[in-house]
Structure formats: structure tokens, C-alpha cells
Short mmCIF file of all heavy atoms in Angstrom, two decimals:
data_model
loop_
_atom_site.label_atom_id
_atom_site.label_comp_id
_atom_site.label_asym_id
_atom_site.label_seq_id
_atom_site.Cartn_x
_atom_site.Cartn_y
_atom_site.Cartn_z
N MET Z 83 57.89 158.28 108.87
CA MET Z 83 58.50 159.02 107.78
C MET Z 83 57.65 158.88 106.52
O MET Z 83 57.44 157.79 106.01
CB MET Z 83 59.91 158.48 107.49
CG MET Z 83 60.89 158.65 108.61
SD MET Z 83 61.41 160.35 108.75
CE MET Z 83 63.10 160.21 108.32
N SER Z 84 57.17 159.99 105.99
CA SER Z 84 56.39 159.94 104.76
C SER Z 84 57.28 160.34 103.59
O SER Z 84 58.21 161.12 103.73
CB SER Z 84 55.18 160.86 104.85
OG SER Z 84 55.61 162.19 104.84
N SER Z 85 56.97 159.80 102.42
CA SER Z 85 57.77 160.13 101.24
C SER Z 85 57.21 161.33 100.49
O SER Z 85 57.85 161.83 99.57
CB SER Z 85 57.84 158.92 100.31
OG SER Z 85 56.53 158.60 99.88
N GLU Z 86 56.00 161.80 100.87
CA GLU Z 86 55.42 162.95 100.19
C GLU Z 86 56.12 164.24 100.64
O GLU Z 86 56.45 164.39 101.80
CB GLU Z 86 53.93 163.05 100.50
CG GLU Z 86 53.14 161.95 99.84
CD GLU Z 86 51.65 162.23 99.86
OE1 GLU Z 86 51.28 163.41 100.02
OE2 GLU Z 86 50.88 161.29 99.71
N PRO Z 87 56.36 165.15 99.71
CA PRO Z 87 57.03 166.40 100.08
C PRO Z 87 56.12 167.30 100.92
O PRO Z 87 54.91 167.30 100.74
CB PRO Z 87 57.35 167.05 98.73
CG PRO Z 87 56.36 166.46 97.79
CD PRO Z 87 56.06 165.08 98.29
N THR Z 88 56.72 168.04 101.81
CA THR Z 88 55.95 168.99 102.62
C THR Z 88 55.62 170.20 101.75
O THR Z 88 56.15 170.36 100.65
CB THR Z 88 56.77 169.45 103.84
OG1 THR Z 88 57.92 170.14 103.36
CG2 THR Z 88 57.17 168.27 104.70
N ASN Z 89 54.76 171.05 102.25
CA ASN Z 89 54.40 172.27 101.52
C ASN Z 89 55.63 173.13 101.26
O ASN Z 89 55.79 173.70 100.18
CB ASN Z 89 53.37 173.08 102.30
CG ASN Z 89 51.96 172.62 101.99
OD1 ASN Z 89 51.75 171.89 101.03
ND2 ASN Z 89 51.01 173.03 102.80
N GLU Z 90 56.51 173.21 102.25
CA GLU Z 90 57.72 174.03 102.09
C GLU Z 90 58.61 173.49 100.97
O GLU Z 90 59.11 174.24 100.14
CB GLU Z 90 58.49 174.05 103.41
CG GLU Z 90 59.67 175.02 103.38
CD GLU Z 90 60.36 175.06 104.73
OE1 GLU Z 90 59.67 174.91 105.75
OE2 GLU Z 90 61.57 175.23 104.76
N GLU Z 91 58.78 172.17 100.92
CA GLU Z 91 59.60 171.55 99.86
C GLU Z 91 58.97 171.75 98.49
O GLU Z 91 59.67 172.00 97.51
CB GLU Z 91 59.77 170.06 100.14
CG GLU Z 91 60.65 169.75 101.33
CD GLU Z 91 60.58 168.30 101.75
OE1 GLU Z 91 59.63 167.60 101.36
OE2 GLU Z 91 61.48 167.87 102.49
N LEU Z 92 57.63 171.65 98.44
CA LEU Z 92 56.93 171.84 97.18
C LEU Z 92 57.12 173.26 96.64
O LEU Z 92 57.46 173.45 95.46
CB LEU Z 92 55.43 171.60 97.39
CG LEU Z 92 54.81 170.41 96.67
CD1 LEU Z 92 53.43 170.12 97.20
CD2 LEU Z 92 54.83 170.61 95.19
N TRP Z 93 56.92 174.26 97.50
CA TRP Z 93 57.05 175.65 97.06
C TRP Z 93 58.48 176.00 96.71
O TRP Z 93 58.74 176.76 95.79
CB TRP Z 93 56.50 176.61 98.12
CG TRP Z 93 55.02 176.73 97.99
CD1 TRP Z 93 54.08 176.20 98.84
CD2 TRP Z 93 54.30 177.36 96.94
NE1 TRP Z 93 52.83 176.49 98.36
CE2 TRP Z 93 52.93 177.19 97.21
CE3 TRP Z 93 54.68 178.05 95.79
CZ2 TRP Z 93 51.94 177.70 96.37
CZ3 TRP Z 93 53.69 178.55 94.95
CH2 TRP Z 93 52.34 178.37 95.25
N ARG Z 94 59.44 175.43 97.46
CA ARG Z 94 60.85 175.67 97.13
C ARG Z 94 61.17 175.16 95.73
O ARG Z 94 61.85 175.82 94.95
CB ARG Z 94 61.76 174.99 98.17
CG ARG Z 94 63.23 175.19 97.84
CD ARG Z 94 64.12 174.73 98.94
NE ARG Z 94 63.95 175.61 100.09
CZ ARG Z 94 63.95 175.20 101.36
NH1 ARG Z 94 64.11 173.93 101.63
NH2 ARG Z 94 63.80 176.05 102.34
N ALA Z 95 60.64 173.98 95.37
CA ALA Z 95 60.87 173.40 94.04
C ALA Z 95 60.22 174.25 92.96
O ALA Z 95 60.79 174.43 91.88
CB ALA Z 95 60.33 171.97 94.00
N VAL Z 96 59.03 174.78 93.23
CA VAL Z 96 58.34 175.60 92.23
C VAL Z 96 59.08 176.91 92.01
O VAL Z 96 59.35 177.31 90.87
CB VAL Z 96 56.87 175.87 92.67
CG1 VAL Z 96 56.25 176.96 91.83
CG2 VAL Z 96 56.06 174.60 92.58
N ILE Z 97 59.46 177.58 93.10
CA ILE Z 97 60.10 178.89 92.99
C ILE Z 97 61.51 178.79 92.43
O ILE Z 97 61.92 179.62 91.62
CB ILE Z 97 60.08 179.59 94.38
CG1 ILE Z 97 58.64 179.93 94.74
CG2 ILE Z 97 60.95 180.84 94.37
CD1 ILE Z 97 58.46 180.41 96.15
N SER Z 98 62.24 177.77 92.80
CA SER Z 98 63.61 177.64 92.30
C SER Z 98 63.66 177.03 90.90
O SER Z 98 64.73 176.96 90.30
CB SER Z 98 64.43 176.77 93.27
OG SER Z 98 63.92 175.46 93.27
N GLY Z 99 62.51 176.59 90.36
CA GLY Z 99 62.48 176.06 89.01
C GLY Z 99 62.85 174.60 88.92
O GLY Z 99 63.16 174.10 87.85
N GLU Z 100 62.83 173.87 90.04
CA GLU Z 100 63.18 172.45 90.01
C GLU Z 100 61.97 171.55 89.82
O GLU Z 100 62.11 170.36 89.60
CB GLU Z 100 63.88 172.07 91.33
CG GLU Z 100 65.17 172.80 91.53
CD GLU Z 100 65.66 172.68 92.97
OE1 GLU Z 100 64.98 172.03 93.78
OE2 GLU Z 100 66.71 173.24 93.26
N ASN Z 101 60.76 172.13 89.90
CA ASN Z 101 59.55 171.33 89.76
C ASN Z 101 59.41 170.89 88.31
O ASN Z 101 59.28 171.72 87.42
CB ASN Z 101 58.34 172.17 90.19
CG ASN Z 101 57.08 171.34 90.27
OD1 ASN Z 101 56.85 170.47 89.44
ND2 ASN Z 101 56.27 171.59 91.27
N PRO Z 102 59.44 169.58 88.02
CA PRO Z 102 59.42 169.12 86.63
C PRO Z 102 58.12 169.44 85.90
O PRO Z 102 58.13 169.61 84.69
CB PRO Z 102 59.62 167.61 86.76
CG PRO Z 102 59.24 167.28 88.16
CD PRO Z 102 59.51 168.50 88.98
N VAL Z 103 57.00 169.53 86.62
CA VAL Z 103 55.73 169.84 85.96
C VAL Z 103 55.74 171.26 85.44
O VAL Z 103 55.30 171.53 84.32
CB VAL Z 103 54.56 169.63 86.95
CG1 VAL Z 103 53.25 170.09 86.34
CG2 VAL Z 103 54.47 168.18 87.35
N TRP Z 104 56.28 172.20 86.22
CA TRP Z 104 56.31 173.60 85.81
C TRP Z 104 57.39 173.86 84.78
O TRP Z 104 57.29 174.78 83.99
CB TRP Z 104 56.52 174.50 87.03
CG TRP Z 104 55.29 174.62 87.86
CD1 TRP Z 104 54.47 173.62 88.28
CD2 TRP Z 104 54.72 175.82 88.37
NE1 TRP Z 104 53.46 174.13 89.00
CE2 TRP Z 104 53.58 175.46 89.09
CE3 TRP Z 104 55.10 177.15 88.29
CZ2 TRP Z 104 52.79 176.41 89.73
CZ3 TRP Z 104 54.31 178.09 88.92
CH2 TRP Z 104 53.17 177.72 89.63
N ARG Z 105 58.46 173.06 84.79
CA ARG Z 105 59.57 173.28 83.86
C ARG Z 105 59.37 172.58 82.53
O ARG Z 105 60.08 172.87 81.58
CB ARG Z 105 60.88 172.78 84.49
CG ARG Z 105 61.30 173.53 85.71
CD ARG Z 105 61.64 174.95 85.39
NE ARG Z 105 62.87 175.03 84.63
CZ ARG Z 105 63.44 176.15 84.23
NH1 ARG Z 105 62.88 177.28 84.52
NH2 ARG Z 105 64.55 176.14 83.55
N LYS Z 106 58.44 171.63 82.46
CA LYS Z 106 58.25 170.84 81.25
C LYS Z 106 57.92 171.75 80.07
O LYS Z 106 56.97 172.51 80.13
CB LYS Z 106 57.11 169.84 81.49
CG LYS Z 106 56.94 168.85 80.39
CD LYS Z 106 55.85 167.86 80.75
CE LYS Z 106 55.63 166.92 79.59
NZ LYS Z 106 54.49 166.04 79.85
N GLY Z 107 58.68 171.68 79.01
CA GLY Z 107 58.43 172.45 77.80
C GLY Z 107 58.90 173.89 77.88
O GLY Z 107 58.61 174.67 76.99
N TRP Z 108 59.64 174.28 78.90
CA TRP Z 108 60.08 175.67 79.08
C TRP Z 108 60.94 176.13 77.90
O TRP Z 108 60.71 177.19 77.32
CB TRP Z 108 60.85 175.78 80.39
CG TRP Z 108 61.13 177.17 80.83
CD1 TRP Z 108 60.31 177.97 81.56
CD2 TRP Z 108 62.31 177.94 80.58
NE1 TRP Z 108 60.90 179.18 81.78
CE2 TRP Z 108 62.12 179.19 81.18
CE3 TRP Z 108 63.50 177.69 79.88
CZ2 TRP Z 108 63.09 180.19 81.11
CZ3 TRP Z 108 64.44 178.68 79.82
CH2 TRP Z 108 64.22 179.91 80.43
N ARG Z 109 61.91 175.31 77.50
CA ARG Z 109 62.78 175.67 76.36
C ARG Z 109 62.02 175.68 75.05
O ARG Z 109 62.27 176.51 74.18
CB ARG Z 109 63.95 174.69 76.26
CG ARG Z 109 65.01 174.93 77.28
CD ARG Z 109 66.12 173.91 77.13
NE ARG Z 109 67.03 174.00 78.24
CZ ARG Z 109 68.16 174.70 78.21
NH1 ARG Z 109 68.49 175.33 77.11
NH2 ARG Z 109 68.95 174.75 79.26
N LEU Z 110 61.08 174.76 74.90
CA LEU Z 110 60.27 174.70 73.67
C LEU Z 110 59.44 175.96 73.54
O LEU Z 110 59.37 176.57 72.46
CB LEU Z 110 59.38 173.47 73.72
CG LEU Z 110 58.53 173.21 72.48
CD1 LEU Z 110 59.43 172.79 71.32
CD2 LEU Z 110 57.51 172.16 72.74
N ARG Z 111 58.79 176.40 74.64
CA ARG Z 111 57.97 177.61 74.58
C ARG Z 111 58.82 178.85 74.36
O ARG Z 111 58.35 179.84 73.81
CB ARG Z 111 57.14 177.74 75.86
CG ARG Z 111 55.99 176.78 75.92
CD ARG Z 111 55.10 177.06 77.10
NE ARG Z 111 55.77 176.82 78.36
CZ ARG Z 111 55.78 175.66 78.99
NH1 ARG Z 111 55.16 174.65 78.50
NH2 ARG Z 111 56.44 175.52 80.13
N ARG Z 112 60.08 178.81 74.77
CA ARG Z 112 60.97 179.94 74.58
C ARG Z 112 61.27 180.18 73.10
O ARG Z 112 61.55 181.31 72.69
CB ARG Z 112 62.26 179.68 75.36
CG ARG Z 112 63.18 180.87 75.40
CD ARG Z 112 64.37 180.55 76.23
NE ARG Z 112 65.32 181.66 76.19
CZ ARG Z 112 66.55 181.60 76.62
NH1 ARG Z 112 66.99 180.48 77.15
NH2 ARG Z 112 67.34 182.62 76.56
N MET Z 113 61.22 179.14 72.28
CA MET Z 113 61.54 179.26 70.86
C MET Z 113 60.39 179.88 70.07
O MET Z 113 60.58 180.30 68.94
CB MET Z 113 61.90 177.89 70.29
CG MET Z 113 63.17 177.33 70.89
SD MET Z 113 63.88 175.92 70.05
CE MET Z 113 62.55 174.81 69.89
N ILE Z 114 59.18 179.93 70.64
CA ILE Z 114 58.04 180.56 69.96
C ILE Z 114 58.19 182.07 70.06
O ILE Z 114 58.34 182.59 71.16
CB ILE Z 114 56.71 180.10 70.60
CG1 ILE Z 114 56.59 178.59 70.56
CG2 ILE Z 114 55.54 180.75 69.88
CD1 ILE Z 114 55.44 178.05 71.37
N PRO Z 115 58.20 182.79 68.92
CA PRO Z 115 58.41 184.24 68.97
C PRO Z 115 57.27 184.97 69.66
O PRO Z 115 56.10 184.71 69.36
CB PRO Z 115 58.53 184.64 67.50
CG PRO Z 115 57.87 183.55 66.75
CD PRO Z 115 58.02 182.31 67.55
N SER Z 116 57.61 185.87 70.57
CA SER Z 116 56.62 186.67 71.28
C SER Z 116 57.33 187.79 72.03
O SER Z 116 58.50 187.67 72.37
CB SER Z 116 55.86 185.79 72.27
OG SER Z 116 54.94 186.57 72.99
N THR Z 117 56.61 188.89 72.27
CA THR Z 117 57.21 189.99 73.04
C THR Z 117 56.84 189.91 74.51
O THR Z 117 57.60 190.35 75.35
CB THR Z 117 56.76 191.35 72.47
OG1 THR Z 117 55.35 191.37 72.39
CG2 THR Z 117 57.35 191.58 71.11
N HIS Z 118 55.66 189.34 74.83
CA HIS Z 118 55.24 189.20 76.22
C HIS Z 118 55.12 187.73 76.56
O HIS Z 118 54.51 186.97 75.81
CB HIS Z 118 53.92 189.92 76.46
CG HIS Z 118 54.02 191.39 76.26
ND1 HIS Z 118 53.63 192.00 75.08
CD2 HIS Z 118 54.49 192.38 77.06
CE1 HIS Z 118 53.85 193.30 75.18
NE2 HIS Z 118 54.37 193.56 76.36
N ARG Z 119 55.69 187.35 77.71
CA ARG Z 119 55.69 185.94 78.10
C ARG Z 119 55.34 185.79 79.58
O ARG Z 119 55.50 186.72 80.36
CB ARG Z 119 57.09 185.33 77.91
CG ARG Z 119 57.54 185.29 76.50
CD ARG Z 119 58.93 184.71 76.39
NE ARG Z 119 59.35 184.69 75.01
CZ ARG Z 119 58.94 183.77 74.14
NH1 ARG Z 119 58.16 182.82 74.51
NH2 ARG Z 119 59.33 183.85 72.89
N CYS Z 120 54.92 184.58 79.93
CA CYS Z 120 54.67 184.25 81.32
C CYS Z 120 56.02 184.22 82.05
O CYS Z 120 57.00 183.68 81.54
CB CYS Z 120 54.00 182.88 81.42
SG CYS Z 120 53.86 182.26 83.08
N LYS Z 121 56.06 184.81 83.24
CA LYS Z 121 57.31 184.86 83.99
C LYS Z 121 57.71 183.50 84.55
O LYS Z 121 58.87 183.26 84.85
CB LYS Z 121 57.19 185.86 85.14
CG LYS Z 121 57.01 187.28 84.69
CD LYS Z 121 58.20 187.77 83.92
CE LYS Z 121 57.95 189.15 83.36
NZ LYS Z 121 59.02 189.58 82.47
N ASN Z 122 56.75 182.60 84.69
CA ASN Z 122 57.03 181.28 85.23
C ASN Z 122 57.43 180.27 84.17
O ASN Z 122 58.44 179.59 84.31
CB ASN Z 122 55.80 180.73 85.96
CG ASN Z 122 55.84 181.00 87.43
OD1 ASN Z 122 56.88 181.28 87.98
ND2 ASN Z 122 54.69 180.93 88.04
N CYS Z 123 56.64 180.18 83.11
CA CYS Z 123 56.81 179.05 82.19
C CYS Z 123 57.14 179.48 80.77
O CYS Z 123 57.22 178.62 79.90
CB CYS Z 123 55.57 178.17 82.20
SG CYS Z 123 54.11 178.96 81.55
N ASN Z 124 57.32 180.78 80.51
CA ASN Z 124 57.72 181.27 79.19
C ASN Z 124 56.64 181.11 78.13
O ASN Z 124 56.96 181.14 76.95
CB ASN Z 124 59.00 180.58 78.70
CG ASN Z 124 60.16 181.51 78.66
OD1 ASN Z 124 60.00 182.70 78.90
ND2 ASN Z 124 61.32 180.99 78.35
N ALA Z 125 55.41 180.94 78.52
CA ALA Z 125 54.34 180.83 77.52
C ALA Z 125 54.13 182.17 76.86
O ALA Z 125 54.04 183.19 77.53
CB ALA Z 125 53.05 180.38 78.20
N PRO Z 126 54.08 182.20 75.51
CA PRO Z 126 53.88 183.48 74.81
C PRO Z 126 52.46 183.99 74.97
O PRO Z 126 51.51 183.20 74.96
CB PRO Z 126 54.18 183.13 73.36
CG PRO Z 126 53.93 181.69 73.25
CD PRO Z 126 54.24 181.09 74.58
N PHE Z 127 52.31 185.30 75.13
CA PHE Z 127 50.99 185.91 75.31
C PHE Z 127 50.53 186.67 74.07
O PHE Z 127 49.42 187.17 74.06
CB PHE Z 127 50.99 186.85 76.50
CG PHE Z 127 51.06 186.15 77.82
CD1 PHE Z 127 51.61 186.77 78.92
CD2 PHE Z 127 50.57 184.87 77.97
CE1 PHE Z 127 51.67 186.11 80.15
CE2 PHE Z 127 50.61 184.21 79.18
CZ PHE Z 127 51.17 184.83 80.28
N ASP Z 128 51.37 186.83 73.06
CA ASP Z 128 50.92 187.47 71.83
C ASP Z 128 51.55 186.76 70.64
O ASP Z 128 52.40 185.90 70.81
CB ASP Z 128 51.24 188.97 71.83
CG ASP Z 128 52.69 189.26 72.12
OD1 ASP Z 128 53.50 188.31 72.10
OD2 ASP Z 128 53.02 190.43 72.37
N GLY Z 129 51.07 187.09 69.45
CA GLY Z 129 51.56 186.44 68.26
C GLY Z 129 50.84 185.12 68.02
O GLY Z 129 49.83 184.81 68.65
N ILE Z 130 51.40 184.32 67.12
CA ILE Z 130 50.76 183.07 66.72
C ILE Z 130 50.79 182.06 67.86
O ILE Z 130 49.89 181.23 68.00
CB ILE Z 130 51.44 182.50 65.45
CG1 ILE Z 130 50.64 181.34 64.87
CG2 ILE Z 130 52.86 182.10 65.72
CD1 ILE Z 130 49.39 181.78 64.15
N GLY Z 131 51.80 182.12 68.72
CA GLY Z 131 51.90 181.17 69.83
C GLY Z 131 50.85 181.36 70.90
O GLY Z 131 50.50 180.41 71.59
N ALA Z 132 50.32 182.58 71.02
CA ALA Z 132 49.32 182.85 72.06
C ALA Z 132 48.05 182.04 71.82
O ALA Z 132 47.45 181.55 72.77
CB ALA Z 132 49.02 184.33 72.10
N LEU Z 133 47.66 181.90 70.56
CA LEU Z 133 46.47 181.12 70.24
C LEU Z 133 46.64 179.67 70.69
O LEU Z 133 45.77 179.10 71.35
CB LEU Z 133 46.21 181.19 68.73
CG LEU Z 133 45.02 180.40 68.22
CD1 LEU Z 133 43.73 181.04 68.72
CD2 LEU Z 133 45.03 180.34 66.71
N PHE Z 134 47.80 179.10 70.38
CA PHE Z 134 48.06 177.72 70.76
C PHE Z 134 48.13 177.58 72.29
O PHE Z 134 47.64 176.61 72.85
CB PHE Z 134 49.37 177.25 70.11
CG PHE Z 134 49.72 175.84 70.44
CD1 PHE Z 134 48.97 174.80 69.90
CD2 PHE Z 134 50.77 175.55 71.27
CE1 PHE Z 134 49.27 173.50 70.21
CE2 PHE Z 134 51.09 174.24 71.58
CZ PHE Z 134 50.34 173.20 71.05
N MET Z 135 48.74 178.54 72.95
CA MET Z 135 48.87 178.47 74.41
C MET Z 135 47.52 178.57 75.09
O MET Z 135 47.26 177.92 76.09
CB MET Z 135 49.79 179.58 74.92
CG MET Z 135 51.24 179.36 74.61
SD MET Z 135 51.86 177.86 75.38
CE MET Z 135 52.67 177.08 74.00
N ARG Z 136 46.60 179.40 74.52
CA ARG Z 136 45.26 179.51 75.09
C ARG Z 136 44.53 178.17 74.97
O ARG Z 136 43.80 177.77 75.88
CB ARG Z 136 44.47 180.60 74.38
CG ARG Z 136 44.44 181.90 75.19
CD ARG Z 136 43.61 182.96 74.50
NE ARG Z 136 44.52 183.91 73.85
CZ ARG Z 136 44.40 184.36 72.62
NH1 ARG Z 136 43.38 184.00 71.88
NH2 ARG Z 136 45.28 185.20 72.14
N LEU Z 137 44.76 177.46 73.86
CA LEU Z 137 44.11 176.17 73.67
C LEU Z 137 44.65 175.13 74.65
O LEU Z 137 43.94 174.22 75.05
CB LEU Z 137 44.31 175.68 72.23
CG LEU Z 137 43.58 176.48 71.17
CD1 LEU Z 137 43.97 175.97 69.78
CD2 LEU Z 137 42.08 176.38 71.35
N THR Z 138 45.92 175.26 75.04
CA THR Z 138 46.51 174.30 75.97
C THR Z 138 46.38 174.75 77.42
O THR Z 138 46.97 174.14 78.30
CB THR Z 138 47.99 174.07 75.64
OG1 THR Z 138 48.67 175.32 75.69
CG2 THR Z 138 48.18 173.46 74.28
N GLY Z 139 45.62 175.82 77.67
CA GLY Z 139 45.37 176.23 79.04
C GLY Z 139 46.42 177.15 79.63
O GLY Z 139 46.53 177.24 80.85
N ARG Z 140 47.19 177.82 78.80
CA ARG Z 140 48.21 178.73 79.30
C ARG Z 140 47.96 180.15 78.82
O ARG Z 140 48.88 180.87 78.45
CB ARG Z 140 49.61 178.28 78.87
CG ARG Z 140 50.07 177.03 79.56
CD ARG Z 140 51.48 176.68 79.14
NE ARG Z 140 51.89 175.39 79.66
CZ ARG Z 140 52.55 175.23 80.79
NH1 ARG Z 140 52.87 176.26 81.51
NH2 ARG Z 140 52.90 174.04 81.19
N GLY Z 141 46.71 180.58 78.86
CA GLY Z 141 46.37 181.95 78.50
C GLY Z 141 46.78 182.90 79.61
O GLY Z 141 47.24 182.49 80.67
N THR Z 142 46.61 184.18 79.39
CA THR Z 142 46.98 185.18 80.39
C THR Z 142 46.05 185.07 81.61
O THR Z 142 44.84 185.01 81.47
CB THR Z 142 46.85 186.59 79.79
OG1 THR Z 142 47.54 186.63 78.56
CG2 THR Z 142 47.43 187.63 80.73
N TYR Z 143 46.65 185.07 82.79
CA TYR Z 143 45.89 185.02 84.04
C TYR Z 143 45.22 186.37 84.23
O TYR Z 143 45.88 187.41 84.16
CB TYR Z 143 46.85 184.70 85.18
CG TYR Z 143 46.21 184.52 86.54
CD1 TYR Z 143 45.08 183.73 86.69
CD2 TYR Z 143 46.75 185.12 87.66
CE1 TYR Z 143 44.51 183.55 87.93
CE2 TYR Z 143 46.18 184.95 88.90
CZ TYR Z 143 45.06 184.16 89.03
OH TYR Z 143 44.51 183.99 90.26
N ASN Z 144 43.90 186.37 84.46
CA ASN Z 144 43.18 187.65 84.48
C ASN Z 144 43.49 188.50 85.71
O ASN Z 144 43.23 189.69 85.71
CB ASN Z 144 41.67 187.42 84.31
CG ASN Z 144 41.10 186.53 85.38
OD1 ASN Z 144 41.82 186.11 86.28
ND2 ASN Z 144 39.82 186.22 85.27
N ARG Z 145 44.04 187.93 86.78
CA ARG Z 145 44.36 188.72 87.97
C ARG Z 145 45.77 189.29 87.94
O ARG Z 145 46.09 190.21 88.68
CB ARG Z 145 44.18 187.88 89.22
CG ARG Z 145 42.74 187.53 89.47
CD ARG Z 145 42.60 186.83 90.77
NE ARG Z 145 41.20 186.51 91.00
CZ ARG Z 145 40.76 185.93 92.08
NH1 ARG Z 145 41.61 185.58 93.03
NH2 ARG Z 145 39.49 185.68 92.23
N ASN Z 146 46.65 188.67 87.13
CA ASN Z 146 48.01 189.17 87.01
C ASN Z 146 48.51 188.88 85.60
O ASN Z 146 48.79 187.74 85.26
CB ASN Z 146 48.93 188.50 88.03
CG ASN Z 146 50.29 189.14 88.08
OD1 ASN Z 146 50.68 189.86 87.17
ND2 ASN Z 146 51.02 188.88 89.15
N PRO Z 147 48.61 189.91 84.73
CA PRO Z 147 48.94 189.66 83.32
C PRO Z 147 50.38 189.20 83.10
O PRO Z 147 50.74 188.89 81.97
CB PRO Z 147 48.70 191.03 82.68
CG PRO Z 147 48.79 192.02 83.78
CD PRO Z 147 48.33 191.29 85.03
N ARG Z 148 51.19 189.13 84.13
CA ARG Z 148 52.57 188.66 83.96
C ARG Z 148 52.67 187.15 83.99
O ARG Z 148 53.71 186.59 83.68
CB ARG Z 148 53.47 189.24 85.06
CG ARG Z 148 53.57 190.76 84.98
CD ARG Z 148 54.36 191.30 86.11
NE ARG Z 148 55.74 190.83 86.01
CZ ARG Z 148 56.64 191.00 86.95
NH1 ARG Z 148 56.33 191.64 88.05
NH2 ARG Z 148 57.85 190.56 86.79
N PHE Z 149 51.57 186.47 84.40
CA PHE Z 149 51.59 185.02 84.53
C PHE Z 149 50.47 184.39 83.73
O PHE Z 149 49.49 185.03 83.40
CB PHE Z 149 51.45 184.62 86.01
CG PHE Z 149 52.55 185.11 86.87
CD1 PHE Z 149 52.38 186.24 87.63
CD2 PHE Z 149 53.76 184.45 86.89
CE1 PHE Z 149 53.42 186.72 88.42
CE2 PHE Z 149 54.80 184.93 87.67
CZ PHE Z 149 54.62 186.05 88.44
N CYS Z 150 50.63 183.09 83.42
CA CYS Z 150 49.58 182.37 82.74
C CYS Z 150 48.67 181.74 83.78
O CYS Z 150 49.01 181.70 84.96
CB CYS Z 150 50.17 181.30 81.82
SG CYS Z 150 50.90 179.90 82.65
N ASP Z 151 47.53 181.22 83.32
CA ASP Z 151 46.60 180.61 84.27
C ASP Z 151 46.75 179.10 84.32
O ASP Z 151 45.80 178.38 84.59
CB ASP Z 151 45.16 181.01 83.95
CG ASP Z 151 44.79 180.71 82.51
OD1 ASP Z 151 45.63 180.16 81.78
OD2 ASP Z 151 43.66 181.05 82.11
N PHE Z 152 47.93 178.56 84.07
CA PHE Z 152 48.20 177.12 84.15
C PHE Z 152 48.23 176.70 85.60
O PHE Z 152 48.80 177.34 86.42
CB PHE Z 152 49.54 176.80 83.48
CG PHE Z 152 49.89 175.35 83.51
CD1 PHE Z 152 49.15 174.43 82.78
CD2 PHE Z 152 50.93 174.90 84.29
CE1 PHE Z 152 49.49 173.10 82.82
CE2 PHE Z 152 51.26 173.55 84.32
CZ PHE Z 152 50.53 172.66 83.58
ZN1 ZN I 4 53.03 180.27 82.92
#
């Protein structure tokens, strides 16, 4: 019996929003005003918050503009 989660458990946690790494700061990023946001983590893609998010590695993903590249 291993204590590491299987791939299925990992993806279930990410998709259902239970993964603490992906959820960390979700409410904080929601308070930053913006019209376009990442569908996963609420990172703002325009306005003053976008500059800060790009610096922290949450800029717009170039293959899908609905998500960040975190
Ligand atoms: Zn994101």
C-alpha cells in the first residue's frame, strides 16, 4: 500500500477544486478587479492585476487564452 495518490485521484482533486496548490489564493485573486480571468485559479488577465500575475507566473497561456500558464 503506497500513500502517494494515483493519477486518477490527483486529477479528480484538481478538477473538483480540492487540490490545495491550485486553490491557494483563489479568493485573494478574485478580489483583484478584472474582466477576464483564468477559469482555474481566477488570475486576472487585464488591468493592474495582470502585471502582477505575469510576474508571479500566472500570465495568459498562449495555447488557450481561458487559462493561465501556472
Ligand atoms: Zn490559472
Side-chain angles (χ1 to χ4, degrees):
M83 296 286 246
S84 70
S85 62
E86 290 194 20
T88 63
N89 273 346
E90 187 177 327
E91 289 168 343
L92 245 168
W93 277 107
R94 178 171 292 142
V96 167
I97 292 171
S98 66
E100 298 166 359
N101 189 321
V103 174
W104 285 47
R105 296 294 290 182
K106 187 177 177 186
W108 191 86
R109 284 179 189 264
L110 183 70
R111 286 188 294 271
R112 188 177 175 192
M113 295 193 309
I114 303 170
S116 177
T117 52
H118 296 98
R119 296 179 180 282
C120 171
K121 295 296 174 187
N122 265 341
C123 66
N124 249 355
F127 288 153
D128 53 12
I130 190 75
L133 178 68
F134 181 71
M135 287 298 131
R136 260 182 258 134
L137 291 175
T138 58
R140 290 183 187 266
T142 310
Y143 184 47
N144 58 2
R145 292 186 179 182
N146 189 342
R148 296 176 65 189
F149 298 99
C150 71
D151 54 2
F152 180 68

